Amino acid sequence: ALVPDTVEHTDPDFLAWRGSNVFAQSQTGYNGVYVTLPLGDILEHQFAGLSKIARNFAGGRLRTTAEQNLIYRWVPDGYLFDVWSELKSIGLAEDGANQVTDVVACPGTDSCKMGITSSMGVAAALRTAIREFGVDDPLIRSLHVKVSGCPNGCARHHIANIGLHGAAMKGDGNQIPAYELFLAGNY
């Protein structure tokens, strides 16, 4: 049987993760825990670890979110470090869930017949640039960036604070990929 943790952990990576990916539920002593999936991607070997965490700490349940992340509910207070450690062991302990660094993108031309641009490539570049820049201001951290590969809006670019959608424009007699920029959306 698992024993609740009573140690006050000071690992800065854990504290950053707990600060952005954990929220107290209205039921005292329980938490919701977001798992940041960079660009919504998950690897085959991570599924077993995610299901182990669900069984051990979240009543056997794990849900997907509209922000291309995962969420555990009903995680008791004394097991947050254990959950983080398990997530770290499978490469999913990144902080910043639902923040400006958690860029959302549709697959674009990678796998969609309607895609005009490589939205996943642009989103990956934006995500890397924002993380390297470093964001300390809580107002900036609370912004959302979304990239769709066409005007259809599968990534919900139209409701993002900073949204882009793929388009095409003429250049040197040929069509070239371009993006239309949307600012100040909200949800």
Side-chain angles (χ1 to χ4, degrees), residues 38-41 68 101 103-112 115-130 145-150 155 164 166 177-179:
L39 299 175
D41 287 341
Q68 299 177 341
T101 56
V103 178
V104 174
C106 74
T109 56
D110 290 357
S111 64
C112 179
I116 300 169
T117 59
S118 176
S119 51
M120 293 290 282
V122 169
L126 284 169
R127 183 179 183 286
T128 299
I130 295 167
V145 179
K146 299 175 185 299
V147 184
S148 294
C150 74
L164 299 115
Y179 284 91

Side-chain angles (χ1 to χ4, degrees), residues 91-163:
L92 290 176
E94 183 176 300
D95 65 342
N98 306 320
Q99 294 183 351
V100 70
T101 56
D102 192 10
V103 178
V104 174
C106 74
T109 56
D110 290 357
S111 64
C112 179
K113 292 182 184 199
M114 297 175 74
I116 300 169
T117 59
S118 176
S119 51
M120 293 290 282
V122 169
L126 284 169
R127 183 179 183 286
T128 299
I130 295 167
R131 286 190 80 80
E132 286 175 359
F133 181 73
V135 181
D136 294 328
D137 186 314
L139 290 174
I140 293 174
R141 272 199 316 264
S142 71
L143 296 176
H144 297 93
V145 179
K146 299 175 185 299
V147 184
S148 294
C150 74
N152 287 334
C154 294
R156 304 180 314 151
H157 64 272
H158 52 287
I159 62 169
N161 305 111
I162 302 170

Side-chain angles (χ1 to χ4, degrees), residues 54-65:
R55 280 190 310 274
N56 290 339
F57 306 108
R61 297 200 173 165
L62 175 63
R63 297 179 182 207
T64 58
T65 73

Side-chain angles (χ1 to χ4, degrees), residues 5 9 18-19 25 28 32-33 36-37 45 53 61 82 95 112 121-122 125 132 138 144 149 152 164 167 178 185:
D5 193 357
H9 295 280
R18 188 179 70 188
Q25 288 183 197
T28 304
V33 175
T36 304
L37 296 179
H45 74 274
I53 294 167
R61 297 200 173 165
D82 294 329
D95 65 342
C112 179
V122 169
E132 286 175 359
H144 297 93
N152 287 334
L164 299 115

